[in-house]
Amino acid sequence: MKFFISLITTTFLLFSGSLLAGSHAKTIMLSTKGPGAGNPFWASVEAGAKDAAEEFGVNLIILSPPQESDVMAQVAQIEDQIAKGVDGIAIAPTDPNAVAPILDDAIASGVPVVYIDTNGINEGVTFIGTNNINGAALAAQYICDNVPAGSDVAILQGMITQTTGQHRAEGSHKGLEACGLNIVAELPANWDTAQGMSVTEDIITGNPNIKAIFASNDNMGLGAIQALKNADMLNDVVVVGFDANPDAAASVAAGEMSATIAQFSYNMGYMGVENALKLANGESIPDNIDTGTVLVTAENAADFM
Amino acid sequence: MDKSQDSTFVKLIPFFEKFGILLLILIMVTVLHILQPDVFLSWRNITNVFKQVSWQSMLALGVFMVIVTAGIDLSVGSIIMLSLMGLAIASKAGMPWYVVMLVAPAVGFLCGLFNGLGITLLKMPHPFIMTLGTLYIFRGVGNLISGGVPITGFADEIRVIGNGKIKLDAILGEGTREYIPTSLILMIVIFFIFWVFLNHTRIGKWIYAIGGNPGAARAAGINVNRILIIVYTLCGFLAGIGGLILAGRTNSAYPNAGLQSELDAIAAVIIGGASFFGGRGTVLGVFAGVMIMGILRNGLNLMNVSVFWQQVLIGSIIIIAVYIDVLRRDFSTRK
Amino acid sequence: MSEEIVLEAKSISKFFGTITALNDVNLKITKGEVLGVVGDNGAGKSTLMKVLSGLYKQSEGSLFFSGKKVNLNSPRDSQNLGLEMVYQDLALAGNLPIGDNIFLGREPVKKVGPFNFLDHKKRKQLTEEHLAKLKINVKSADQKVEELSGGQRQAVAIARATAFNAKIVIMDEPTAALAVKEVGKVLDLILNLKNLGVSVIVISHRMDDIFSVCDRVMALFQGTNFAESLLKDTSRDEVIGWIMGKKD
């Protein structure tokens, strides 16, 4: 019976095949947090990476752990590829702290590394991703342009222990303050829709004249919209989210959410591979590469649905 | 009982029971060497595999003992996380490294003791229930004491177990890059100790007896509750050692540590030939089960195969392994 | 058969929650005596035996071994006092070999430094000797009990009870699963033990068993002492009547 197991295993292994590399093409590993099949965000990262690989003649290896919480699986995948021999790694770290040692090993072995989407903690490694401060500032600007000066406004923060949460809170706060708006509340709702809803309920109860809410991600924004609908206040309040996920884009198109900020996950994949290749070729790259953000309103919402 | 009438296949069953699993590993290694000739059997890759399985092998060994008593411990993934958090907090509090290193197995020990006492004193209908509860409780406590954020950065001495390398310059000449990972040495030592414990001591024998027939154990004057408490405590202790290894490997106590790894531990134990019904299984089998899963993952990673295929394969192997167990029970038990 | 009382149980009661399994039960047995215990299902026979062996602790009453009052906290205590038991369900671990079962709980060990390690060789050797003495035929002392037939398993359970120079052996339905030839062997064994001065308590519902080896017979009915007599003073019909709760 056990012979049958090995037979089946062998068959699967033979069918999977291994990538054949041209003798001069560099091999770049793209390590994302989760499979593209489960998440449109990573799917577009992979799409960008594949296009860059084709354009620059790179042998691309895409690997991710089965779920975003499986940190050790990502560590093992990197370890295995280093042993096999890669020329560069573009990684979205599942846990920046826990993968730091294996990335140090990679760099020490002469394999250059770039971070995409989420910044890591290893020194001297370039970060390629959304500049969340700029993106949040963009959202704040939209609010400034669409509500009267001096109005009451609020910020829904993400997980304030994460840099993404901190940056979006910081960028929006500065922007709203700069154009003279009155920030009555800045509270965390931890990226969660239900929490976004209950925090918003509390905010509008104490501040019935509120004119705008910036939600650090779309999920919280959609929760805020629900709370405003229940209080019959949606028409009076501008709600801006962040991420431009399909639900939010639909909400913007339907006139409920006023606007959201789109990240360019495609760019993360494309630029990740492009810059890992540059490092592998001995060129130098900047410490920080902003993959860009764009304001999404009713005019362009259809592009993101 | 006249066995001369049995077919050759049936006669070979005891042989396969003991050594079939090693045969399977040999076949896997051969196949992977053919498919990835430059990499798979390279020193670097082999040491990688041992490093990757080392922390999981501790969980598997502990869960194995529990399964032999016809019990289960679902909380080992959470125990490894809590012990890792305990270690991190002790480290950040400035305790000396030798104390910090002891914190992880000590926390694991206490968690296991908690499980054992709960199962016996509270007379839980099945350990599944108690350890399902502690699966949540231990991870929750770990998140509470850490604030839900990772705690990073440990002294080098603490990382020796998980990350240490024993250089082979002396044997293989100056400048050799080959080394033996400390975690491999630890794994071998611990597996050996528990092999002796389970096969050559009275308590080891009683563990198997309890799994086979707890009533018989009681009738023989064995204090079944005491042995169960010992077994669950040892399981937690081993998970704590796993935490120490993880600390070395990742230099971080992160909230998702060990998430769902209890399932991998159970899978390794079952693939290794232990019976879920209790009373059967070997330490060598557990080691083999751990290695099979590690080699499979490593091979498929090297070949760039999707992780989804890995999941399908591992799940299939579990079911086939248990089916073999079912067949074996049919053949060897007289009705 | 002497007059020395080796085991006495006085006023034993055992409650399981609201259920009274035994109520004020007395039993005594002298050296070299074979005592039969009869009663219908649920009469409390097995429960009484488990109190005598220490597997259960009595709710009320006292036990006396050779005239001395004892507190049994585990079967090991009664074993140390020279009492061995063959349980109705055999109490064997099928996944373990014959030798492991015979020595379960009291495995021979050898000391290495501060540690006690199992002495596998000694265990196997003692097992083989004992099985040979009892003329029990199995392929090997290393055979797992689950591979044995019902009769062979019964033989192993009896072998366990006779391997430790017991003074008192309790047998709960020792012939229930056996073929005719094997029954004869068990009854012969009981008589052998008697001749060696060992006291034997036999629970059986088979009158042939009781009337071929016992010196005395007692009946339990619904957890209480119902009747008792020397064998020579009673008849099969009367004993069967006791089981059904009928007495003149």
Side-chain angles (χ1 to χ4, degrees):
Chain A
M1 258 291 170
K2 293 218 157 115
F3 284 115
F4 275 113
I5 303 173
S6 50
L7 213 63
I8 294 168
T9 316
T10 317
T11 317
F12 275 137
L13 292 173
L14 285 172
F15 266 109
S16 62
S18 41
L19 295 176
L20 295 170
S23 47
H24 299 292
K26 296 257 188 252
T27 304
I28 303 289
M29 174 193 185
L30 177 74
S31 174
T32 53
K33 288 188 197 174
N39 190 328
F41 187 87
W42 300 119
S44 83
V45 170
E46 286 178 18
K50 284 182 187 154
D51 286 349
E54 210 179 290
E55 202 179 304
F56 298 108
V58 160
N59 189 18
L60 182 66
I61 295 179
I62 300 180
L63 283 172
S64 71
Q67 48 255 8
E68 294 197 20
S69 53
D70 199 345
V71 179
M72 295 314 288
Q74 187 176 45
V75 170
Q77 284 168 342
I78 296 169
E79 230 169 16
D80 290 343
Q81 290 303 318
I82 294 174
K84 192 172 170 191
V86 286
D87 299 301
I89 298 176
I91 173 173
T94 50
D95 185 305
N97 296 283
V99 303
I102 191 60
L103 294 178
D104 278 339
D105 276 359
I107 295 168
S109 311
V111 180
V113 175
V114 296
Y115 300 123
I116 60 172
D117 171 68
T118 301
N119 209 349
I121 64 173
N122 304 64
E123 279 192 33
V125 178
T126 294
F127 171 59
I128 300 171
T130 305
N131 186 324
N132 283 300
I133 297 180
N134 289 354
L138 199 58
Q141 188 59 51
Y142 177 87
I143 293 177
C144 288
D145 294 341
N146 282 282
V147 302
S151 304
D152 289 346
V153 297
I155 298 174
L156 293 177
Q157 300 167 330
M159 277 185 189
I160 208 64
T161 50
Q162 294 178 352
T163 38
T164 313
Q166 289 160 9
H167 287 178
R168 291 183 194 176
E170 187 189 320
S172 55
H173 183 105
K174 285 206 179 113
L176 294 172
E177 225 177 40
C179 68
L181 291 170
N182 183 23
I183 302 174
V184 296
E186 289 177 271
L187 294 170
N190 296 316
W191 308 127
D192 179 72
T193 310
Q195 287 187 47
M197 181 170 163
S198 48
V199 171
T200 304
E201 279 165 357
D202 292 342
I203 293 177
I204 60 185
T205 306
N207 302 281
N209 290 323
I210 196 158
K211 288 287 180 284
I213 295 180
F214 167 64
S216 298
N217 82 339
D218 284 335
N219 285 346
M220 298 188 295
L222 291 170
I225 286 176
Q226 197 53 49
L228 288 167
K229 269 192 193 171
N230 291 347
D232 218 3
M233 285 171 67
L234 187 57
N235 292 330
D236 306 318
V237 181
V238 167
V239 177
V240 179
F242 200 119
D243 266 351
N245 72 37
D247 286 342
S251 178
V252 170
E256 293 186 343
M257 192 180 278
S258 311
T260 179
I261 305 295
Q263 306 187 66
F264 287 106
S265 40
Y266 177 94
N267 284 356
M268 292 180 203
Y270 187 96
M271 290 170 159
V273 170
E274 183 188 16
N275 283 282
L277 179 64
K278 282 191 182 161
L279 288 176
N281 286 332
E283 302 166 35
S284 62
I285 60 177
D287 293 335
N288 230 296
I289 299 178
D290 185 358
T291 46
T293 48
V294 75
L295 185 68
V296 177
T297 57
E299 278 121 37
N300 56 351
D303 296 338
F304 295 91
M305 282 185 355
Chain B
M1 203 170 74
D2 185 5
K3 268 205 153 162
S4 62
Q5 314 244 9
D6 294 338
S7 71
T8 325
F9 180 65
V10 173
K11 278 204 193 119
L12 284 175
I13 283 187
F15 172 75
F16 275 134
E17 264 186 50
K18 275 204 178 137
F19 301 114
I21 198 114
L22 296 178
L23 214 56
L24 177 62
I25 292 180
L26 198 60
I27 292 169
M28 286 175 77
V29 168
T30 313
V31 167
L32 283 169
H33 178 59
I34 293 172
L35 291 172
Q36 292 277 319
D38 295 325
V39 193
F40 182 69
L41 285 181
S42 68
W43 191 276
R44 179 163 206 159
N45 191 56
I46 294 180
T47 50
N48 277 350
V49 173
F50 283 122
K51 283 192 292 185
Q52 287 160 9
V53 301
S54 55
W55 62 279
Q56 295 167 319
S57 72
M58 296 296 117
L59 300 184
L61 186 57
V63 167
F64 166 66
M65 278 194 297
V66 164
I67 286 183
V68 168
T69 66
I72 192 77
D73 190 342
L74 297 173
S75 68
V76 290
S78 304
I79 295 180
I80 205 177
M81 180 262 199
L82 181 55
S83 58
L84 188 52
M85 287 302 169
L87 177 152
I89 289 177
S91 170
K92 288 303 169 198
M95 295 191 195
W97 62 266
Y98 41 89
V99 173
V100 173
M101 280 179 77
L102 290 176
V103 169
V107 168
F109 179 94
L110 290 172
C111 288
L113 182 61
F114 187 81
N115 276 333
L117 289 173
I119 289 166
T120 51
L121 295 181
L122 298 180
K123 299 204 179 101
M124 291 279 114
H126 195 280
F128 185 101
I129 298 180
M130 179 73 193
T131 60
L132 180 64
T134 50
L135 179 154
Y136 291 107
I137 292 175
F138 292 148
R139 189 168 293 273
V141 171
N143 278 322
L144 283 174
I145 62 178
S146 66
V149 292
I151 303 176
T152 306
F154 308 130
D156 284 344
E157 292 90 346
I158 298 170
R159 297 188 60 196
V160 155
I161 297 287
N163 205 41
K165 307 169 171 38
I166 300 176
K167 298 229 181 291
L168 295 174
D169 298 50
I171 307 174
L172 296 177
E174 273 292 320
T176 343
R177 296 183 64 202
E178 277 84 353
Y179 62 88
I180 296 183
T182 331
S183 51
L184 172 59
I185 307 283
L186 179 75
M187 199 167 46
I188 293 175
V189 167
I190 292 203
F191 268 74
F192 177 73
I193 291 174
F194 277 86
W195 176 80
V196 170
F197 173 65
L198 285 170
N199 292 294
H200 295 282
T201 66
R202 281 180 157 178
I203 295 188
K205 182 68 65 184
W206 299 347
I207 289 174
Y208 279 93
I210 291 171
N213 185 345
R218 273 191 203 98
I222 295 170
N223 186 338
V224 171
N225 279 354
R226 179 174 153 254
I227 303 298
L228 287 179
I229 291 174
I230 289 175
V231 166
Y232 282 90
T233 305
L234 285 175
C235 181
F237 173 77
L238 283 168
I241 294 193
L244 184 57
I245 296 176
L246 263 191
R249 214 158 134 66
T250 61
N251 198 28
S252 171
Y254 58 100
N256 281 334
L259 198 64
Q260 295 182 338
S261 39
E262 58 277 345
L263 297 178
D264 281 346
I266 295 170
V269 167
I270 299 297
I271 290 173
S275 170
F276 205 65
F277 306 109
R280 262 166 257 274
T282 63
V283 170
L284 184 64
V286 177
F287 189 80
V290 167
M291 290 310 299
I292 286 176
M293 286 175 62
I295 292 174
L296 189 67
R297 289 206 167 104
N298 172 256
L300 294 175
N301 275 346
L302 288 177
M303 299 180 52
N304 206 3
V305 170
S306 150
V307 285
F308 297 145
W309 271 121
Q310 294 181 25
Q311 290 180 316
V312 169
L313 275 176
I314 288 178
S316 309
I317 289 178
I318 294 171
I319 293 176
I320 294 174
V322 173
Y323 182 58
I324 293 175
D325 184 42
V326 168
L327 288 181
R328 186 197 46 73
R329 272 164 59 93
D330 277 351
F331 273 124
S332 48
T333 315
R334 298 275 299 255
K335 304 270 159 67
Chain C
M1 198 174 88
S2 73
E3 292 307 310
E4 178 198 336
I5 297 176
V6 293
L7 172 59
E8 180 161 11
K10 286 190 184 163
S11 301
I12 300 290
S13 297
K14 178 67 182 168
F15 310 116
F16 293 106
T18 52
I19 299 174
T20 304
L22 297 171
N23 191 5
D24 199 25
V25 172
N26 299 308
L27 175 151
K28 67 171 178 284
I29 186 167
T30 59
K31 188 161 186 273
E33 181 181 23
V34 181
L35 170 66
V37 177
V38 300
D40 206 358
N41 294 336
K45 313 184 295 295
S46 294
T47 308
L48 178 60
M49 298 307 123
K50 287 177 183 173
V51 168
L52 297 180
S53 77
L55 190 57
Y56 291 165
K57 200 152 176 65
Q58 69 273 25
S59 311
E60 287 166 8
S62 340
L63 299 171
F64 297 85
F65 276 71
S66 295
K68 256 178 47 189
K69 183 155 181 231
V70 295
N71 277 326
L72 301 177
N73 292 313
S74 123
R76 199 165 292 171
D77 293 339
S78 69
Q79 287 168 351
N80 289 337
L81 290 166
L83 185 146
E84 296 288 338
M85 177 129 166
V86 181
Y87 291 87
Q88 191 175 14
D89 62 6
L90 304 185
L92 296 172
N95 61 322
L96 295 179
I98 296 171
D100 289 19
N101 271 286
I102 290 182
F103 287 95
L104 191 60
R106 34 194 171 180
E107 296 83 358
V109 291
K110 51 186 185 218
K111 218 168 167 56
V112 176
F115 299 113
N116 281 331
F117 292 114
L118 295 175
D119 192 339
H120 299 290
K121 248 174 72 174
K122 187 151 170 222
R123 187 180 70 240
K124 178 162 179 176
Q125 181 203 343
L126 290 172
T127 304
E128 282 170 349
E129 282 170 10
H130 190 55
L131 292 178
K133 202 162 73 176
L134 293 175
K135 298 202 183 52
I136 296 177
N137 284 328
V138 286
K139 263 184 66 178
S140 141
D142 287 334
Q143 239 183 325
K144 292 193 186 158
V145 160
E146 69 194 356
E147 295 170 25
L148 304 177
S149 69
Q152 287 172 315
R153 292 186 210 187
Q154 187 93 64
V156 170
I158 294 177
R160 180 173 61 188
T162 54
F164 296 95
N165 297 321
K167 293 199 268 221
I168 307 157
V169 176
I170 303 176
M171 299 197 186
D172 194 348
E173 303 284 1
T175 60
L178 300 184
V180 169
K181 198 168 89 177
E182 292 162 324
V183 168
K185 276 175 66 175
V186 171
L187 297 178
D188 285 342
L189 171 67
I190 294 177
L191 291 175
N192 279 341
L193 290 171
K194 177 190 164 73
N195 288 334
L196 291 170
V198 177
S199 312
V200 184
I201 301 176
V202 182
I203 298 179
S204 184
H205 61 276
R206 297 164 44 121
M207 290 301 112
D208 286 346
D209 293 355
I210 303 287
F211 277 81
S212 59
V213 296
C214 293
D215 301 310
R216 187 162 53 96
V217 59
M218 62 178 268
L220 292 180
F221 183 73
Q222 290 180 354
T224 63
N225 290 104
F226 190 71
E228 188 192 310
S229 168
L230 293 174
L231 247 293
K232 59 183 168 67
D233 297 333
T234 182
S235 69
R236 284 169 199 250
D237 285 343
E238 187 178 22
V239 174
I240 292 173
W242 292 346
I243 294 174
M244 298 198 290
K246 291 205 285 255
K247 212 167 32 172
D248 328 301

